[in-house]
Amino acid sequence: MYQAIQIVHSYWAYLVLLIVTLATINALAGFFGKREYAPKDFRVSLFALIVSHIQLLIGLAIFFLSPLVVWFSGTYKVGEIMKDATLRLYNVEHPTVMILTIVFITIGYSKHKKKLTSTPKFKILAIFYTIAWILMLSRIPWAQWF
Ligand code: HEM
């Protein structure tokens, strides 16, 4: 069970990385290029929301199964987890920052929908998706993943 979910989380991350990157570039290009907001802009921002929410669910499942998450083992004290870079990444930084990433995507998506004209729509998406994108890139376990 753990291995199957680990593989899904690992491969789904490629899709999340690709789509969130595309949606962020699209929002920035739309805003700076002063384009008209089109149905394809809605689709790419919605797709980023969907794939990241699915990754959140997979991430929550793996959090309770992974041997790298030691909160529930009773073996480590909080101080020991915080002192060890790998333990800190999987137990604290990665889950927290990825949840924040998804919060930013969700807020950006819902706020942009309420705007009625193109520039404010792109502006909201560009701000929130860029923050989410930077947060996501900052806490992907690149060395273990690639
Ligand atoms: C945007 C969302 C997320 C992305 C892009 C992402 C990406 C990744 C990647 C690339 C790995 C390394 C996989 C590997 O080594 O093969 C990983 C591992 C992990 N992620 Fe996430 N993740 C996300 C959200 C979450 C969330 C929300 C949680 C928990 C609440 C979580 C918990 C974990 C855990 C526990 C591992 C270690 C799994 C293991 O190897 O045992 N992730 N994640």
Side-chain angles (χ1 to χ4, degrees):
M1 183 67 168
Y2 158 66
Q3 268 163 357
I5 297 181
Q6 200 273 340
I7 290 168
V8 175
H9 190 68
S10 183
Y11 280 101
W12 196 260
Y14 287 102
L15 193 63
V16 177
L17 184 60
L18 178 74
I19 304 298
V20 174
T21 303
L22 284 178
T24 304
I25 293 170
N26 186 64
L28 288 167
F31 178 67
F32 289 111
K34 296 185 171 33
R35 262 199 303 110
E36 276 300 303
Y37 183 86
K40 81 156 179 58
D41 301 307
F42 174 74
R43 277 198 295 272
V44 73
S45 59
L46 175 64
F47 203 31
L49 179 85
I50 293 170
V51 293
S52 59
H53 275 239
I54 292 173
Q55 185 71 325
L56 170 67
L57 296 180
I58 306 166
L60 286 172
I62 205 165
F63 189 76
F64 294 100
L65 296 172
S66 171
L68 297 169
V69 178
V70 295
W71 290 119
F72 319 106
S73 72
T75 322
Y76 292 87
K77 295 202 180 90
V78 177
E80 290 171 322
I81 295 174
M82 297 310 267
K83 265 187 228 144
D84 183 305
T86 307
L87 286 180
R88 194 172 63 240
L89 177 65
Y90 287 109
N91 287 270
V92 183
E93 295 173 353
H94 178 78
T96 313
V97 174
M98 292 305 173
I99 288 171
L100 263 179
T101 297
I102 295 157
V103 166
F104 273 95
I105 291 175
T106 310
I107 295 174
Y109 176 79
S110 52
K111 271 181 170 295
H112 107 282
K113 270 195 9 178
K114 294 187 188 121
K115 300 287 175 190
L116 301 173
T117 49
S118 295
T119 305
K121 274 182 180 296
F122 279 128
K123 187 177 176 184
I124 293 284
L125 281 177
I127 293 170
F128 281 87
Y129 279 35
T130 302
I131 295 170
W133 183 72
I134 292 168
L135 286 173
M136 183 177 73
L137 293 187
S138 78
R139 287 299 176 277
I140 281 180
W142 295 103
Q144 292 84 345
W145 185 42
F146 259 34

